[in-house]
Amino acid sequence: QVQLAESGGGLVQAGGSLRLSCAVSGLTVSNYAMAWFRQAPGKEREFVGGIRRSGNLAYADSVKGRYTISRDNGKNSVYLQMNGLKPEDTAVYYCAARWVLAVKSEDYAHWGQGTQVTVSS
């Protein structure tokens, strides 16, 4: 059974940082593309970034230069380091797994439960 569990969300002031973790069981993260998505109230779930099986990274333009994705194969986990946070980054953040990295949420079968990130102005 595949399980993804996000943690690390919270309340932070604008300009601050948070590091989200996604602990995975039931699949090996190095054998999958791992993605981060976010969903703000009343909005669709949007692609934030991801790491391919090769280790190559991809980011949405809105977070490029501020967010960094990494992977720890030994811990079978992926991480999302978020710096320079803005109020518009407020959302529930999800990690997801797929064989090939995709930017559409409907292409993913494996999801975590999400973690809330709130950025105050």
Side-chain angles (χ1 to χ4, degrees), residues 21-38:
S21 300
C22 175
V24 180
S25 61
L27 62 82
T28 302
V29 297
S30 59
N31 291 340
Y32 282 76
M34 300 299 299
W36 287 94
F37 285 79
R38 66 186 181 186

Side-chain angles (χ1 to χ4, degrees), residues 27-74:
L27 62 82
T28 302
V29 297
S30 59
N31 291 340
Y32 282 76
M34 300 299 299
W36 287 94
F37 285 79
R38 66 186 181 186
Q39 187 166 20
K43 295 189 176 181
E44 293 187 351
R45 194 169 296 190
E46 65 172 353
F47 177 79
V48 172
I51 181 166
R52 297 180 176 89
R53 285 173 286 160
S54 64
N56 287 345
L57 300 167
Y59 298 97
D61 288 343
S62 59
V63 306
K64 202 171 292 183
R66 299 189 298 124
Y67 288 15
T68 303
I69 293 170
S70 61
R71 182 177 69 197
D72 187 329
N73 295 338

